[in-house]
Amino acid sequence: MSDKECREFVLDDKEREEFVCEYCGTELDKTDEYHTTFRTCNEDCYMKMVGLSWSDFI
């Protein structure tokens, strides 16, 4: 297998991977910048994933 074929295989494998929220498992939109950057569906899930809550800011 050539290097080009190997890279294409790896890219195809990543495209098949499920794109879901790391915290709650909700399916994410690949075109949404927030979803692709943080891999969570919203700010609440991101805070919970890193161990914070809204009461930490009061």
Side-chain angles (χ1 to χ4, degrees), residues 10-58:
V10 170
L11 289 174
D12 288 343
D13 211 24
K14 286 183 180 179
E15 287 177 5
R16 281 187 237 125
E17 182 181 308
E18 285 187 11
F19 193 59
V20 295
C21 175
E22 296 287 330
Y23 185 75
C24 69
T26 303
E27 190 169 337
L28 302 176
D29 182 10
K30 291 183 180 184
T31 60
D32 187 318
E33 187 176 350
Y34 187 87
H35 292 174
T36 56
T37 303
F38 298 107
R39 301 279 296 201
T40 56
C41 52
N42 58 35
E43 294 85 1
D44 290 331
C45 279
Y46 182 77
M47 282 194 317
K48 292 174 187 173
M49 185 179 74
V50 296
L52 296 173
S53 69
W54 284 110
S55 63
D56 295 324
F57 299 98
I58 295 177

Side-chain angles (χ1 to χ4, degrees), residues 1-12:
M1 187 182 283
S2 72
D3 285 343
K4 183 178 179 184
E5 289 173 333
C6 186
R7 276 188 299 242
E8 287 174 0
F9 178 75
V10 170
L11 289 174
D12 288 343

